[in-house]
Amino acid sequence: MNHEAAVSNAREIAERVLVPAAGQNDKAGRFSTEAIDALGKVGLLGLMLPAEHGGSGLGPRTFAAVVATLAEADASVAMVYVMHVLAAATIAAARPGSAVAPVLKDIGAGRHLSTLAFSEAGSRSHFWAPVSRARRNSGSVSITAKKSFVTSAGHAQSYVVSSLSPDGAVATDSTLYLVLAGARGLSVGGAWDGMGLRANASSPMALEDCEVLDGLQLTDDKAGFQVMLNVVLPLFNLASASVSLGICRAAVAATATHLKTARFEHLGQSLGESLPTLRAQLATMQIDTDGLAPRIDDLIDHLERPRETTMLRVLEAKAAAGDVAISVTSTAMRVCGGAAFAKHTGIERLFRDAHAGAVMAPTGDVLREFIGKAVLGLPLF
Ligand SMILES: Cc1cc2nc3c(=O)[nH]c(=O)nc-3n(C[C@H](O)[C@H](O)[C@H](O)COP(=O)(O)OP(=O)(O)OC[C@H]3O[C@@H](n4cnc5c(N)ncnc54)[C@H](O)[C@@H]3O)c2cc1C
């Protein structure tokens, strides 16, 4: 599969599977197994995996385009997909000697969904500082942890779990492990009933003395933090910005449709024909949305050709995109008035989903804190 085929497959699935069900799944808080099946069948679950594992070996440019395409139809499914691709990249980067080949093969074959379980109730959005600590046994570790939000909880076939290393001395001395669904001691803490991204099953999960064999330890002891920073963070921020772009594009399209179809019968005009103020606000939405695409392209360029400014761009892109998505969807709510408020247009789902970008770690506030420190030459952690 090349770039064009990947994006075209994503578009076909978005139109055939995601669009017809997005509203209903959002309302019911229902995880779309059909969407994941469809993505697996066309090879999109193995998008970035090397060919040796049955993947397509495609890069951040294709990942961003696929994610934006899915998010335009259903941001919940897009975020499930994002978490899976990040988990797959982390598993593929496992330390030599680990026993993850069967999982990678299943991901490449499109029959295994994975996700990240980093955030903990104790350290909240500071995902880089797990408060749980793995206990060393002979040939395994045991983990007891309270994971606060896990996208695809109860639906994924595996979970990339962080925990403080058995002999970790500081908060960032973490290790990453692969925990397979069905492992003894792993449980989902209830149904997900969020304000936005309601169809992505982001429930809490508990690990109670959960045993992980050494072969499923993904990083060396205390090397989890570096993998979070170098493998996960750049792709997560790119993908989160791409979800925001998809949401903005959907908001512009839905607003334009409403302004063309809703009418003042007594004036004989559509809303868009009648009111310059609505046209001006739509124009601002369009400008902001189109401004986001080159920002994402610039980040892709930095990821493809890393340089001194790359980490700054990684931090900036998610913070900026989260704000744009909130602003564009807020304007859409205002422009479409009572019709948006009464849920006739689908815009209120976009408005709710857009807010997730700012609270998903690293949050917009934390990113600003990091960016400010980076500009001043202060250490980030
Ligand atoms: C829909 C959804 C899906 C998620 N999926 C996953 C997942 O799959 N895996 C996973 O590991 N996690 C996931 N999370 C968790 C997410 O990444 C965050 O950890 C979580 O949203 C943080 O919420 P909190 O209430 O604990 O934030 P808190 O840490 O309590 O933050 C509260 C406020 O303080 C601000 N703040 C915190 N620290 C600082 C700082 N240093 N400087 C300035 N401001 C600060 C925050 O920005 C926020 O506004 C998900 C969350 C959501 C909402």
Side-chain angles (χ1 to χ4, degrees):
M1 184 164 52
N2 60 17
H3 175 90
E4 285 71 27
V7 178
S8 145
N9 283 334
R11 190 166 300 121
E12 191 276 327
I13 290 169
E15 285 166 10
R16 178 172 55 83
V17 184
L18 272 54
V19 168
Q24 208 40 50
N25 285 341
D26 169 69
K27 197 169 177 184
R30 178 183 172 276
F31 184 93
S32 175
T33 46
E34 308 79 57
I36 304 311
D37 287 350
L39 292 167
K41 277 202 182 97
V42 298
L44 284 170
L45 293 186
L47 185 84
M48 295 187 81
L49 277 192
E52 62 185 287
H53 303 302
S56 300
L58 290 161
R61 189 170 296 278
T62 312
F63 181 38
V66 166
V67 168
T69 303
L70 298 177
E72 203 172 332
D74 185 340
S76 284
V77 171
M79 196 49 87
V80 167
Y81 181 68
V82 166
M83 289 304 183
H84 164 79
V85 172
L86 295 174
T90 309
I91 300 166
R95 62 183 182 160
S98 49
V100 294
V103 168
L104 290 171
K105 188 170 165 240
D106 280 353
I107 292 175
R111 50 175 184 258
H112 184 114
L113 181 74
S114 195
T115 189
L116 301 177
F118 288 175
S119 304
E120 296 199 348
S123 47
R124 309 188 69 89
S125 58
H126 299 188
F127 66 88
W128 56 87
V131 295
S132 66
R133 182 191 290 273
R135 190 163 45 79
R136 172 83 56 219
N137 312 317
S138 158
S140 68
V141 295
S142 296
I143 305 175
T144 295
K146 282 185 174 21
K147 296 294 177 181
S148 49
F149 299 80
V150 182
T151 295
S152 308
H155 296 273
Q157 278 75 45
S158 67
Y159 302 85
V160 173
V161 170
S162 57
S163 195
L164 205 57
S165 303
D167 57 352
V170 295
T172 49
D173 279 347
S174 61
T175 305
L176 301 184
Y177 304 91
L178 187 65
V179 177
L180 300 176
R184 199 149 37 129
L186 179 71
S187 62
V188 179
W192 167 241
D193 184 17
M195 173 185 124
L197 296 186
R198 289 180 47 75
N200 78 352
S202 292
S203 294
M205 291 190 80
L207 292 90
E208 280 292 336
D209 227 2
C210 194
E211 190 183 15
V212 184
L213 297 176
D214 284 352
L216 295 184
Q217 178 172 331
L218 298 175
T219 66
D220 286 333
D221 279 352
K222 306 183 200 172
F225 177 64
Q226 283 310 321
V227 172
M228 285 179 180
L229 219 60
N230 298 325
V231 177
V232 178
L233 183 69
L235 285 178
F236 177 70
N237 281 15
L238 171 68
S240 178
S242 305
V243 170
S244 293
L245 178 61
I247 290 174
C248 288
R249 285 180 174 155
V252 170
T255 303
T257 299
H258 184 68
L259 295 191
K260 282 196 271 190
T261 52
R263 297 187 67 75
F264 288 125
E265 286 184 18
H266 61 300
L267 301 177
Q269 286 183 319
S270 69
L271 262 59
E273 288 166 336
S274 184
L275 293 173
T277 174
L278 300 186
R279 294 196 292 273
Q281 289 180 82
L282 176 64
T284 301
M285 290 168 62
Q286 177 72 37
I287 292 165
D288 290 348
T289 301
D290 279 345
L292 196 47
R295 183 184 277 284
I296 290 172
D297 285 343
D298 175 61
L299 173 55
I300 292 166
D301 186 60
H302 275 78
L303 296 180
E304 288 174 345
R305 296 182 300 121
R307 43 206 190 265
E308 210 184 317
T309 44
T310 298
M311 186 45 89
L312 205 49
R313 293 295 197 281
V314 165
L315 301 174
E316 290 168 5
K318 178 177 180 289
D323 287 352
V324 171
I326 288 174
S327 162
V328 166
T329 55
S330 303
T331 307
M333 287 296 293
R334 185 167 163 207
V335 169
C336 298
F341 199 81
K343 306 187 178 178
H344 298 157
T345 59
I347 285 169
E348 59 83 37
R349 170 168 60 87
L350 302 171
F351 172 80
R352 288 184 284 105
D353 288 351
H355 281 74
V359 298
M360 286 184 78
T363 69
D365 298 318
V366 168
L367 288 166
R368 279 181 175 74
E369 173 71 351
F370 286 166
I371 292 164
K373 282 181 174 172
V375 172
L376 294 175
L378 300 171
L380 260 50
F381 292 93

